[in-house]
Each structure stands twice: as C-alpha cells, then as structure tokens.
Amino acid sequence: MTTPRTALVIGGGIAGPVAATALTMAGIDAAIYEARSADPASANGIGGSLALEPNGLAALRIVGADDDVRAAAVPITHSTMSIANKPGREMPTPQGLGPRQLIDRGALHRILRNRAERAGVRIHDAKKLIRVDERPDAVTAHFADGTHASADVLIGADGVHSTVRRLIDAEAPAARYLGLLGFEGLVDDAPDTAHLEPGTMTFAFGRRAYYLYWKRPDGRIGWGANLPSPQYMSLREARAVAAEEWLDTLRTTYANDVPGARLAAETTRETLQAVGGLHIMPPVPHWHRGRMVLVGDAVHAPSNSTGQGASLAMESATQLARCLRDVPDVPSAFLAYERLRRPRVEKIAARGARISHAKAPGPIAARMMRLLLPVMLATMNVEKTMAAEQRYTIDWDTPLQGDAKALA
Ligand SMILES: Cc1cc2nc3c(=O)[nH]c(=O)nc-3n(C[C@H](O)[C@H](O)[C@H](O)COP(=O)(O)OP(=O)(O)OC[C@H]3O[C@@H](n4cnc5c(N)ncnc54)[C@H](O)[C@@H]3O)c2cc1C
C-alpha cells in the first residue's frame, strides 16, 4: 500500500473536520460523511459548552482554526474548586500557557466545518456508515441510504459509539457508562455568585453530586450537572423525559448546595439541556486494520473530568494526517500514528478514570473525599500533573522521518 491520495472521513463532529482539513493540507483529498441529517451545527450535537485546553488550541493552530475558536469562546482565566459548600479554592494553573477556552459546541462545529470546506473538503450529511467492503486497492463505505463511496483509506471519526471500531475489530470494547447523566443550564447572576469575575469557573463537589458553574461575559451563570444515575440513558432517551421531571430531580439532588440549590431552582425548561450518559473508552486493542483507522472518541474518549476529550481528538486528527503525509505506506503510517498517540491518551484516560470515581461516590467515599481533596489540592504539583498535558504540541512542520520513536 503506497501513500494514500484519497480519504473517507466518517463523522463530522470534532475529530472528523480537523482530520479532513489536515489531510487536505497534507495533499490527500478528503471527504466527510456525517450520519446526522441536519447540519450538526444547527442540531447542536449533544449540546452545551465545551472547554478546550491549550494543547487543543495548538492542534487547531495547525489547521488554521484557533483564532476563529478564540473569537467565539470565553477565556477561562480563573478556576476554583469547592467542596461541600466551602468557599472555592483557587486551582493552580501551569505557567506561561494561554487560558482554556469555553465554547458552545454548535459554534465549534460550525467553525470546524467551515474551515474544512474552505480547505476543499466535501461534507456529506445524512450519510450513516453501516458497513465497508475492503479490497487490496481501496475501501468502500456503504451508507444507510443505499449509497457508497470509495477511497484509499477510511478514517473512523465517528465518536464514542463508533461503527468503524467494530468494523476494524468485531471484539472491540464498547464505551463504558460512567454512572453519570449530563445536564447544562443557564441562570441570572445573584448574590451567591455576584463576587465572581467573568471567566471564572468553579468545580463544585456538592453534598450529593458534582457540578460546575462559570460566569459568562454577559454576567449570567452557566452550569453543568453530573447527576449520578445507575440507569444509563442515551442523549435521545434523556431528552424524551420531560424537562420538568429532570428539574425536580436536579433540585432534590442539589438542595443542600450553595449555589447549586439556586442554580437548579432557577433553571427553566427552556434553559435546561439534557446531554445523556457520560462515557469513557477502555483501551482499544486495535486502532487500525488494513485501510481503516480510528481517531478521536472512537478510540480514546477520556472521562469528561479531564477536560481533554476534544483537545485530544484534535491532536490525534493532526498527528494522523502528519503520519499519512510522511510515511510512505499506509500500514506503517497507521503504526507510527498509534505509537505516537497511544501512550499519551491512555495516560490521560487513566487520570480521568480516577477523578470520575470522586464524582459519584458512596457516602463513605464522599466523606473521605471531603477530607482528602483539600490536601491534594494544596500539595498538587501542577507542572508535573497538568503542564505535560497542556504544553503538548504536534510538530506538524517537522517531517516524521526523523522521529525514531514513531518509526521504531
Ligand atoms: C457532557 C459532556 C461534556 C464534555 N465536555 C468536554 C469539555 O469540556 N472539553 C473537552 O475537551 N471534551 C469534552 N467532552 C468530550 C468531547 O465532547 C469529545 O471528546 C469530542 O466530541 C470528541 O470528538 P469526536 O469528533 O471524536 O466525536 P464526536 O464529537 O462525538 O463526533 C462524532 C460524529 O460522528 C457521527 N457519527 C457517528 N456514527 C456515525 C456513522 N455510523 N456514520 C457517519 N457518522 C457517524 C456523529 O453524528 C458525530 O457527529 C464532553 C463530553 C460530554 C458528553
């Protein structure tokens, strides 16, 4: 298999448009096939906001989308952590890096799709991949509407419930439900949040559940809830439940929290967005097979506690394009890509899994956490724990040939 000239990118969420743009920049003709019938930007995907870390912004710089994202985002300049209603403690941040950027998911989709189209990528909506045919010289994707498309390689950027993952390996693990359902709401400012500067985000371990809130430039308070629930619900199932029912549950869950009780009380059915079950991907044994490869959540979805899912997806998307650009045959390019990405994403996933336990603790674990977290925060070595994650960049301009680690 020689250097590919064409690529089918399955999924037009975050990894898909970034991969397709980077592939086009690498001289590979790329087209995106997205399952949703409506433009995912207007459908707003799974909804809500998304925080991008400096390493995600660095990956976006490679494809020329970082400035547009910054222009549409809110910089988070301060982060605090609050446990059981204690006043928020400032969380240390690595020195010399820009702030994380909080952006509406729909706005991010729009920017990434526009950027891909400007690069010459064709985007086909309402194309749900159902199966593939593999031949020695090409791969053909078959879609639910009866159409098909062929190319030299197929990139599975189809998210945490990836179809491509199962086509690569029928025994591949499925995403694991974290026991938490996600929600986002919006309320007016009030005395209990009036002291916060715009751009401040608070991670709050409430009496019964975790939540986070931030002050927006318009002074209103956005907040996200992670509701413990043994019962898994997809996005569609969660949205089929009446908003009033969810609001009742949220108001009971956060009744003893400040400002959680007010955030839940003042959120209305119009400002509540249900996101559905939160997932992580266990390590995936096979990242690629033949002419097919995985990128983004399809192969490495860390817990949302890491704040790194989208940023890692952007990194992998650009690194994959770099490998296909520089390594002259497809299997070796996929191998180099996996070697460069697997250790980093699995390390971050392991960190996230540890934090997620703290979000849905049993009563004893909750008490322990209240005692231990302040100590952990006070003794945390930010440069060691966070800086390596956030300072990371993909060296797009350097040909891979010199990277012994990737080509070993
Ligand atoms: C509540 C919540 C909050 C989060 N917050 C953050 C955060 O603050 N920061 C962060 O970095 N990450 C966050 N994440 C994680 C982040 O959303 C993901 O890591 C990111 O969306 C991964 O991008 P992706 O392109 O790989 O997958 P997705 O964004 O899921 O995109 C996959 C796309 O593939 C399409 N698709 C699926 N199947 C098919 C098919 N068979 N054929 C064609 N198309 C298909 C889907 O319709 C979708 O458009 C959060 C996740 C959740 C659930």
Side-chain angles (χ1 to χ4, degrees), residues 10-17 33-36 40 46 49-53 102 105 109 127-130 143 157-163 182-183 226 275-279 295-298 301-302 304 307-313:
I10 307 301
I14 293 172
Y33 294 83
E34 163 57 46
R36 287 199 189 100
I46 62 169
S49 312
L50 206 98
L52 297 179
E53 298 294 346
L102 188 72
R105 191 182 285 268
H109 280 186
K127 296 287 178 189
K128 182 174 186 195
L129 177 87
I130 48 171
F143 303 105
D158 51 345
V160 78
H161 302 299
S162 172
T163 299
F183 297 85
N226 284 184
V275 176
L278 305 180
H279 298 90
V295 71
D297 271 15
N304 68 321
Q308 280 285 2
S311 293
L312 291 181

Side-chain angles (χ1 to χ4, degrees), residues 3 23 35 64 128-129 145 213 274 315 322 344 352 372 389 395:
T3 306
L23 286 165
K128 182 174 186 195
L129 177 87
D145 64 358
Y213 53 97
E315 285 180 6
R322 177 175 173 241
R344 172 165 167 81
L372 290 178
E389 278 184 20
D395 198 358

Side-chain angles (χ1 to χ4, degrees), residues 31-375:
I32 295 174
Y33 294 83
E34 163 57 46
R36 287 199 189 100
S37 51
D39 175 349
S42 56
N44 202 12
I46 62 169
S49 312
L50 206 98
L52 297 179
E53 298 294 346
N55 51 298
L57 272 295
L60 287 184
R61 192 179 318 130
I62 292 170
V63 294
D66 58 322
D67 285 343
D68 286 350
V69 165
R70 275 196 202 86
V74 177
I76 300 298
T77 45
H78 293 287
S79 299
T80 66
M81 187 179 284
S82 153
I83 299 163
N85 296 334
K86 299 258 166 52
R89 266 166 186 264
E90 184 87 16
M91 288 176 70
T93 48
Q95 294 296 306
L97 288 172
R100 65 168 62 100
Q101 302 281 343
L102 188 72
I103 186 166
D104 176 74
R105 191 182 285 268
L108 179 64
H109 280 186
R110 263 191 302 281
I111 290 167
L112 298 181
R113 282 169 67 101
N114 288 345
R115 175 66 195 105
E117 284 178 323
R118 282 204 315 279
V121 173
R122 297 170 309 290
I123 303 182
H124 307 275
D125 287 322
K127 296 287 178 189
K128 182 174 186 195
L129 177 87
I130 48 171
R131 67 181 180 87
V132 295
D133 280 336
E134 298 168 82
R135 296 194 313 274
D137 60 335
V139 55
T140 300
H142 293 267
F143 303 105
D145 64 358
T147 59
H148 62 270
S150 299
D152 295 336
V153 289
L154 182 146
I155 317 265
D158 51 345
V160 78
H161 302 299
S162 172
T163 299
V164 181
R165 190 172 62 231
R166 288 195 307 277
L167 293 173
I168 287 177
D169 173 14
E171 304 296 314
R176 189 164 70 74
Y177 172 52
L178 281 173
L180 299 165
L181 298 175
F183 297 85
E184 195 166 313
L186 184 63
V187 301
D188 287 334
D189 204 3
D192 55 9
T193 45
H195 60 286
L196 299 174
E197 292 290 325
T200 304
M201 180 173 273
T202 304
F203 302 95
F205 290 85
R207 296 269 173 203
R208 293 166 70 175
Y210 169 86
Y211 62 109
L212 75 169
Y213 53 97
W214 58 93
K215 185 169 274 187
R216 302 169 8 133
D218 66 4
R220 301 185 79 192
I221 306 296
W223 74 291
N226 284 184
L227 186 70
S229 163
Q231 192 200 340
Y232 169 74
M233 280 191 171
S234 67
L235 168 71
R236 190 171 302 172
E237 288 164 344
R239 287 192 181 168
V241 174
E244 288 303 340
E245 219 173 290
W246 284 132
L247 285 171
D248 280 350
T249 307
L250 291 169
R251 285 166 189 158
T252 308
T253 304
Y254 295 105
N256 297 319
D257 295 325
V258 181
R262 181 181 69 81
L263 300 179
E266 293 183 5
T267 300
T268 63
R269 50 189 292 193
E270 287 77 24
T271 56
L272 182 76
Q273 288 189 67
V275 176
L278 305 180
H279 298 90
I280 53 168
M281 256 328 285
V284 174
H286 302 288
W287 283 37
H288 48 88
R289 183 175 61 73
R291 293 178 175 274
M292 297 189 286
V293 65
L294 298 168
V295 71
D297 271 15
V299 68
H300 54 62
S303 147
N304 68 321
S305 317
T306 63
Q308 280 285 2
S311 293
L312 291 181
M314 292 162 177
E315 285 180 6
S316 288
T318 49
Q319 188 66 278
L320 174 61
R322 177 175 173 241
C323 292
L324 285 167
R325 177 194 69 186
D326 293 345
V327 181
D329 74 284
V330 170
S332 306
F334 288 170
L335 213 55
Y337 159 68
E338 181 181 348
R339 283 201 184 115
L340 287 169
R341 297 301 298 156
R342 188 189 274 277
R344 172 165 167 81
V345 300
E346 290 189 351
K347 189 170 173 198
I348 293 174
R351 177 175 76 77
R354 288 194 294 275
I355 313 174
S356 291
H357 284 307
K359 284 182 167 181
I364 296 170
R367 188 172 296 170
M368 290 293 289
M369 201 182 75
R370 267 174 232 138
L371 292 172
L372 290 178
L373 264 180
V375 181

